[in-house]
Amino acid sequence: MPSNKVTKDFKSLLKNAEVLTYLLVMMITGAFFGLLDLFLFWLLQDLGASKVLMGITVTVGTAAGIPILVASKHIISTLGHANTLILGLAFYVVRMIGYSYIQDPWWCLPFEALECFTVSLMDTASVSYGDTLATPSTIATLQGMYGGLHYGIGRALGSLIGGNLIKVVGIRNTFRGAAGVSAVACILYFFINYNCFRKQQQERRQKAISEKTNKATVTEEKKHTEDK
């Protein structure tokens, strides 16, 4: 739905603590995405990886994401949006720690396969979560903010901060430091979400189930009437 009061609707989003937390997490994960997207091939090149292997890494990450995308609806409905994002943060820890210790570039492939959780599943959960948090007139606004913070500001911060840290402490220590930041963000987000937003999330889930049940009942009654 179009918004007749864009500024007012925008301010209403910024007054929502759950929305602000969600957007902050999106910016942080965007920084991790930018760090790996720009500097992983640099590490692999230092390890002597061929261009063929670098291409295979993209293939493995993409292929691994297909079954996860197929199952994403079930995963998100089971875990919840926030917990799915927390799972993605946890896998960022595993990926970056793994990359920081490999000596043979081919060992990057198992960690590239985990991209299905940090990119495919996380992106799906992020878009779906934004849709859940927004009102009909603020969906486009919130999705735009998510995209700008994750793929714009967050990714830029990851490349900028990551590049400067690599110059000072090296690429392996930079990945380990990023893994530590991801671990802290994962734990903090878990506790904040559990203690502050769990009640609202349960209410939204119950409302969605109720609406789905009512819709199914109406459809069944309509079908029964038509059969008669």
Side-chain angles (χ1 to χ4, degrees):
M1 292 176 58
S3 175
N4 296 321
K5 299 178 181 178
V6 178
T7 304
K8 184 177 179 181
D9 289 339
F10 180 72
K11 288 180 179 179
S12 70
L13 288 175
L14 298 182
K15 290 178 181 178
N16 188 323
E18 188 175 359
V19 170
L20 289 177
T21 305
Y22 155 75
L23 291 175
L24 178 60
V25 171
M26 290 301 94
M27 188 175 70
I28 292 171
T29 56
F32 298 147
F33 176 77
L35 177 67
L36 292 179
D37 190 49
L38 287 169
F39 297 114
L40 175 59
F41 283 170
W42 187 345
L43 173 63
L44 296 180
Q45 184 174 309
D46 288 346
L47 293 174
S50 65
K51 292 180 180 178
V52 172
L53 174 57
M54 293 182 187
I56 291 173
T57 62
V58 178
T59 306
V60 168
T62 305
I66 295 173
I68 292 296
L69 286 172
V70 173
S72 61
K73 182 178 180 180
H74 175 72
I75 296 172
I76 294 170
S77 63
T78 301
L79 297 179
H81 293 97
N83 287 331
T84 304
L85 298 181
I86 290 166
L87 181 68
L89 283 167
F91 275 107
Y92 263 123
V93 176
V94 176
R95 287 186 68 196
M96 289 186 287
I97 285 290
Y99 292 136
S100 73
Y101 282 103
I102 60 172
Q103 299 298 327
D104 186 334
W106 284 92
W107 277 105
C108 76
L109 295 181
F111 302 108
E112 274 297 281
L114 296 180
E115 190 178 271
C116 64
F117 295 104
T118 60
V119 177
S120 302
L121 182 60
M122 207 169 192
D123 281 359
T124 306
S126 300
V127 173
S128 180
Y129 194 16
D131 183 62
T132 302
L133 291 172
T135 62
S137 62
T138 59
I139 287 176
T141 301
L142 188 54
Q143 295 292 356
M145 292 169 69
Y146 150 68
L149 284 170
H150 185 77
Y151 293 105
I153 296 174
R155 190 176 182 184
L157 285 174
S159 61
L160 179 64
I161 297 172
N164 282 287
L165 284 174
I166 288 170
K167 185 168 63 175
V168 176
V169 300
I171 192 166
R172 292 182 183 274
N173 287 330
T174 298
F175 279 177
R176 290 165 192 162
V181 174
S182 184
V184 171
C186 179
I187 294 169
L188 286 176
Y189 189 31
F190 173 80
F191 281 106
I192 291 171
N193 182 70
Y194 185 84
N195 291 305
C196 301
F197 309 131
R198 186 164 54 102
K199 185 177 179 180
Q200 298 97 299
Q201 292 164 0
Q202 289 175 344
E203 289 174 353
R204 286 198 300 267
R205 182 175 295 188
Q206 287 297 119
K207 183 179 179 181
I209 293 172
S210 178
E211 289 176 351
K212 187 176 180 179
T213 303
N214 291 337
K215 186 177 180 181
T217 302
V218 170
T219 303
E220 185 64 30
E221 289 176 351
K222 184 178 180 180
K223 183 180 178 182
H224 183 67
T225 303
E226 290 174 351
D227 290 342
K228 277 188 174 182

